[in-house]
Amino acid sequence: MPLIVIVDDRVSNRNIFAKLAASIEADITVRTFGEPVSALDWLKDNPPDLVITDYKMPNLDGAQFIARFRQLPNCEEIPVIVITVYEERSFRLCALEAGATDFLHSPVDHHEFVTRARNLLKLQRHQLLLANRANMLERELENSERTKEIALRDSSQRLAQVIDTVPALIRATARDGALLFANAYQAAFDGVDASSVVGSNTESIHGKERSDRDAALDKIVFETGKALPPFEEELTDANGFTRVFLTTKSPLRSNGEDVQGVLTSALDITARKRMEAHLRHLAHHDSLTDLPNRILLHECMRKLIARARRGDKLFAVHTIDLDGFKAVNDLLGHAAGDDFIKTVSKKLQSIIRDTDTLARTGGDEFIVLQSDVTCNEDAAELAARLLDAIEDSADFDGAPISISASIGIAIHPADGADVEELLRHSDLAMYRAKAEQGNHFCFYASDMTARARQLAVLDKRLQRAFENGEFVLHYQPQVDLATGRLIGAEALLRWNDPESGLVAPSLFLPRAEENGLIVPINEWVLERACEDARRWQKLGLGSIPVSVNMSPVQFRRRTAPLHVARVLASTGLDPRLLDIELTEGIVMSGIESVAADMRHLIDVGVSLSIDDFGTGYSSLSYVKYLPVSRLKIDQSFIRNLPTDPNDAAIVRAIITLGHSLDLSILAEGVETAEQMERLRAEGCDQAQGYYFGRPAPVEEFIRQATQAYSLARSA
Ligand code: C2E
Ligand code: MG
Ligand code: MG
């Protein structure tokens, strides 16, 4: 509600002016005073919106009144209209200087009075509004400044907290190496107090070597004014633990341009590096033995080849393949097979030097890279020791296993220029070693590539031979040493090859074992032998038991008992006339499943012999747990029996042991009368060998048997 104050010493004027003022707009309060001092007294507590004053008044004139009015609080901007009869300029100036806003001439024109007063009121109101707005803005501005300040303070506090808690080392260093700042993580890592460390030289915290290195890097940042690209570094904390960091160094500028310090922040990437290393390790190592795998092996070989190019020594690649491991695996079970591989890998590892590499590249295949080889003898010497180590592993977990290995050796650069060629040639040499009955090492020779091709040809020819019925059986007599009578015949396989004639089993059976053809071949042998034995009976030769050799592969597949029963049924041969020869290798490797198959065979009614006895195992006592009825002493003990006391001792031990277990003993490979006499003297029961008869085709065997039979009858 606008307040208009009128000061005039004449009552009539006051009344007129009051009326006029009240007519300006609705809701106007008018207050009149006849004397200026009392007006001022009231005005100091009631600031008006407009003052209309006479100039010529008692006590104070208009100018004095205005001057004092302007001194009152909040009154300097309020419009004041002066009503005067004077027209002089000096008088007006005086009033203006005192603070008058406008003038009205007396006698007052009513319309002019109302118009001027209204305009001034409006102006006043407008100014008030502006002033308020300005005030408000000012306050708002003040407020917002304050919030910003608070926000800034808060965020820098928070930032400091963040900087303190991020798992990163953060510090700033000055040009002279003094520490400007270190976050809590950095301080904890260095084992110092973050607040007290500022200002000290980093050398006192990090030692000379590290701080020199840091200073050199910082220098680059100071000189170039640019950040360094992130780099990885290993840092050791106050407790001696080393961790990996990804470190960045960037310039700290104060007023835009000057580099005042270097900010070093290092992110702990130890876990990531560990994970990376773990993944890398997994990708490059065999999971069972933790040995390098083929990928890492290739990497090592490439390095060795590169070194060789720089004039280093030769290196040798030994490809090691276990002989007969498949049987061990199948018969003992995969878990035991795995344990066995681990045992072998440890043995091999203990043989090689630190500079050599042992890798596992297949189920039963290992490769040794032998560095610093000066001549073939170096490689031969290592290969021999590797073979010994593998034989050593045979006494595995208390159960002796017949295991040996074949090693092929290729030497860089003579036997191959690159990784692939070296591995291929070492592999070929290994196959040559295997072909030579295993437990053997062989150097690569340039004709081996041709041999590999021959092997593929052999596979095809064997398959065709089987389909074309080119296999035949020869029979070798077995005699009773006491009476000289025929007590059986061993069926021995031959390949009647149209190209090269009669081929001995040692030349094709190992290959047939490898490619699996042995199974159908041996099933044919069993059937043929049973038919022949049946025929001998029908021919009136009496009951001559037939011995059939069985392959480890048949026991691995566990088809032997069923097949034997089926063949006996189809041929009608009395089971007591069939003897199955198992090698020590089969008998020993399988323990449970082989023992079970052996019991099944016994149930069928056949008898079992252990062939080549004495070649594989030092322990003879296991025989008592097996359902066998005969041991066939290997011919290697018979050859020098009359002259070698060791062989004689072994043969005597086998005979004594066998007899104590109620087994009959047959000596294989008896070629001379001397050998026979000696065996007879030792109490050996039976014999087989060229001395009594060579393996012969069935017709030939029948002829000899008929003669022997009639001789015996006539005797
Ligand atoms: P083996 O079962 O130990 O057979 C005896 C081997 O000794 C035969 O060789 C035989 O010819 C040879 N031999 C016999 N008497 C003498 C002798 O007085 N002096 C010499 N130096 N050797 C003699 P062969 O026929 O070459 O057979 C070799 C091996 O092949 C056999 O050894 C046997 O393990 C295996 N074999 C033969 N036929 C078969 C078969 O049908 N199936 C399977 N799985 N293996 C067979
Ligand atoms: Mg045999
Ligand atoms: Mg034998």
Side-chain angles (χ1 to χ4, degrees):
M1 209 191 281
L3 169 67
I4 298 178
V5 171
I6 294 161
V7 188
D8 202 311
D9 53 336
R10 271 178 288 171
V11 183
S12 58
N13 275 0
R14 287 206 297 273
N15 288 341
I16 294 165
F17 294 156
K19 250 187 220 142
L20 288 172
S23 73
I24 293 171
E25 52 191 61
D27 294 333
I28 282 195
T29 309
V30 180
R31 191 69 200 259
T32 59
F33 292 90
E35 194 273 323
V37 177
S38 53
L40 284 170
D41 199 40
W42 188 82
L43 280 166
K44 73 174 192 295
D45 299 319
N46 306 283
D49 294 291
L50 176 65
V51 175
I52 298 163
T53 178
D54 185 21
Y55 192 82
K56 201 174 167 305
M57 295 180 292
N59 303 332
L60 295 173
D61 66 17
Q64 287 167 328
F65 168 76
I66 294 166
R68 289 185 46 183
F69 171 70
R70 288 285 179 235
Q71 309 271 296
L72 298 181
N74 302 321
C75 291
E76 62 266 58
E77 303 289 333
I78 294 164
V80 178
I81 299 174
V82 180
I83 297 170
T84 176
V85 286
Y86 306 112
E87 296 248 17
E88 295 93 302
R89 210 173 156 258
S90 62
F91 162 77
R92 287 196 170 211
L93 267 175
C94 208
L96 280 173
E97 267 172 15
T101 318
D102 205 355
F103 295 93
L104 271 175
H105 203 256
S106 188
V108 170
D109 177 278
H110 291 189
H111 184 69
E112 195 185 351
F113 179 96
V114 172
T115 311
R116 291 220 175 167
R118 182 184 288 138
N119 285 346
L120 280 175
L121 254 189
K122 234 192 242 170
L123 194 74
Q124 160 66 359
R125 224 180 272 146
H126 204 72
Q127 272 172 348
L128 253 179
L129 213 75
L130 277 175
N132 278 345
R133 174 76 55 82
N135 262 343
M136 237 162 66
L137 275 174
E138 211 170 308
R139 268 202 307 276
E140 263 174 33
L141 208 68
E142 259 173 32
N143 280 346
S144 75
E145 293 276 271
R146 207 168 304 132
T147 18
K148 241 195 264 164
E149 227 171 74
I150 292 168
L152 211 67
R153 205 172 45 235
D154 278 5
S155 70
S156 64
Q157 268 174 3
R158 244 176 279 142
L159 199 66
Q161 273 179 23
V162 170
I163 287 174
D164 269 350
T165 52
V166 282
L169 309 175
I170 300 174
R171 67 175 190 278
T173 35
R175 214 172 266 274
D176 61 358
L179 208 56
L180 299 172
F181 163 82
N183 74 340
Y185 195 79
Q186 173 89 60
F189 191 82
D190 292 334
V192 294
D193 177 39
S195 52
S196 64
V197 87
V198 170
S200 54
N201 199 289
T202 49
E203 190 180 324
S204 63
I205 307 164
H206 295 150
K208 180 155 172 49
E209 193 189 322
R210 206 184 123 192
S211 65
D212 279 357
R213 191 182 67 207
D214 270 323
L217 293 171
D218 286 0
K219 197 166 161 237
I220 300 172
V221 179
F222 276 119
E223 280 171 5
T224 61
K226 285 190 184 132
L228 294 181
F231 59 94
E232 284 179 13
E233 60 177 346
E234 277 190 355
L235 302 175
T236 305
D237 71 9
N239 299 320
F241 292 108
T242 299
R243 304 188 67 82
V244 188
F245 290 87
L246 183 69
T247 303
T248 46
K249 280 182 178 288
S250 41
L252 257 188
R253 296 175 200 276
S254 59
N255 42 20
E257 276 315 297
D258 256 10
V259 179
Q260 296 281 301
V262 171
L263 184 71
T264 305
S265 54
L267 206 61
D268 190 336
I269 54 167
T270 313
R272 194 188 87 197
K273 294 301 280 183
R274 235 179 246 149
M275 186 49 107
E276 277 173 12
H278 181 60
L279 289 177
R280 210 189 117 75
H281 187 89
L282 285 184
H284 288 84
H285 291 79
D286 165 48
S287 58
L288 178 65
T289 58
D290 208 35
L291 290 176
N293 64 11
R294 197 171 279 277
I295 299 172
L296 189 51
L297 174 80
H298 282 214
E299 225 169 78
C300 295
M301 284 181 77
R302 276 193 290 274
K303 275 188 204 147
L304 283 176
I305 290 172
R307 267 180 49 188
R309 244 183 258 130
R310 292 199 305 268
D312 252 48
K313 290 195 180 144
L314 317 171
F315 72 91
V317 182
H318 299 251
T319 297
I320 306 166
D321 194 278
L322 304 184
D323 301 325
F325 173 69
K326 271 205 186 67
V328 175
N329 209 22
D330 291 355
L331 296 172
L332 285 183
H334 284 276
D338 284 354
D339 284 350
F340 180 69
I341 287 291
K342 280 196 245 178
T343 307
V344 171
S345 78
K346 279 196 199 105
K347 276 264 160 62
L348 294 177
Q349 191 81 61
S350 70
I351 297 294
I352 63 169
R353 297 166 305 172
D354 287 349
T355 49
D356 299 338
T357 304
L358 171 66
R360 181 172 178 233
T361 50
D364 61 349
E365 189 183 272
F366 297 88
I367 286 180
V368 170
L369 297 181
Q370 181 186 13
S371 55
D372 300 335
V373 171
T374 43
C375 56
N376 280 12
E377 280 64 44
D378 285 352
E381 191 261 340
L382 177 64
R385 284 195 294 129
L386 292 171
L387 287 176
D388 283 350
I390 290 167
E391 268 200 316
D392 257 18
S393 323
D395 192 13
F396 167 64
D397 215 11
I401 288 175
S402 169
I403 202 86
S404 58
S406 304
I407 300 183
I409 307 168
I411 294 187
H412 178 78
D415 298 336
D418 60 27
V419 172
E420 279 70 30
E421 197 178 17
L422 277 167
L423 286 175
R424 201 171 55 243
H425 287 171
S426 169
D427 211 42
L428 282 174
M430 184 274 289
Y431 276 112
R432 160 76 63 86
K434 232 185 218 327
E436 290 170 8
Q437 308 294 290
N439 201 16
H440 199 70
F441 64 82
C442 238
F443 281 92
Y444 172 74
S446 47
D447 66 338
M448 282 182 182
T449 314
R451 277 183 62 88
R453 245 176 265 129
Q454 284 165 10
L455 224 52
V457 173
L458 178 63
D459 283 353
K460 271 200 205 103
R461 284 177 58 208
L462 279 176
Q463 181 66 41
R464 221 179 22 234
F466 181 64
E467 286 160 9
N468 295 348
E470 289 167 13
F471 291 111
V472 292
L473 287 185
H474 282 193
Y475 290 96
Q476 186 177 33
Q478 299 173 336
V479 300
D480 184 301
L481 270 177
T483 63
R485 281 176 57 181
L486 179 72
I487 46 123
E490 179 172 6
L492 294 162
L493 185 64
R494 301 288 180 265
W495 174 17
N496 203 350
D497 180 15
E499 284 177 37
S500 49
L502 219 53
V503 185
S506 61
L507 295 179
F508 64 89
L509 274 189
R511 188 63 198 162
E513 301 252 1
E514 269 170 27
N515 68 21
L517 198 61
I518 185 69
V519 175
I521 291 178
N522 232 132
E523 287 181 357
W524 173 84
V525 170
L526 184 70
E527 217 171 300
R528 181 86 254 180
C530 289
E531 279 167 7
D532 284 341
R534 189 83 184 89
R535 214 170 110 222
W536 302 332
Q537 273 186 309
K538 285 180 183 157
L539 286 172
L541 289 175
S543 299
I544 306 171
V546 69
S547 292
V548 172
N549 295 284
M550 286 254 177
S551 154
V553 180
Q554 290 173 293
F555 281 84
R556 222 178 284 151
R557 301 196 183 170
R558 305 208 58 187
T559 55
L562 188 69
H563 190 71
V564 167
R566 219 181 268 149
V567 169
L568 286 172
S570 70
T571 55
L573 184 73
D574 180 347
R576 285 170 299 180
L577 295 184
L578 178 60
D579 177 63
I580 302 283
E581 294 192 7
L582 310 169
T583 60
E584 271 185 305
I586 304 180
V587 172
M588 281 316 296
S589 57
I591 318 295
E592 235 347 280
S593 70
V594 167
D597 277 2
M598 288 171 78
R599 280 192 295 274
H600 286 138
L601 286 169
I602 294 296
D603 289 346
V604 171
V606 303
S607 62
L608 302 178
S609 300
I610 297 183
D611 202 358
D612 305 340
F613 191 80
T615 50
Y617 302 92
S618 46
S619 157
L620 304 178
S621 54
Y622 72 92
V623 173
K624 65 171 165 258
Y625 302 112
L626 298 170
V628 294
S629 51
R630 182 166 69 168
L631 304 181
K632 295 182 75 178
I633 305 176
D634 191 70
Q635 46 181 283
S636 57
F637 300 103
I638 309 302
R639 199 168 303 132
N640 302 320
L641 179 65
T643 52
D644 187 333
N646 285 332
D647 284 350
I650 291 170
V651 168
R652 189 174 309 134
I654 294 174
I655 292 169
T656 313
L657 170 103
H659 283 166
S660 75
L661 295 171
D662 257 354
L663 305 176
S664 47
I665 311 296
L666 180 145
E668 291 185 293
V670 179
E671 295 181 351
T672 64
E674 215 184 344
Q675 290 166 338
M676 182 198 64
E677 287 308 333
R678 190 63 197 262
L679 285 164
R680 204 179 258 164
E682 295 291 352
C684 184
D685 308 299
Q686 305 163 0
Q688 180 181 341
Y690 296 165
Y691 182 72
F692 306 102
R694 288 183 176 255
V698 67
E699 301 310 330
E700 169 79 25
F701 173 77
I702 289 172
R703 220 176 10 256
Q704 287 171 4
T706 314
Q707 271 176 16
Y709 189 65
S710 49
L711 270 174
R713 290 259 311 233
S714 62

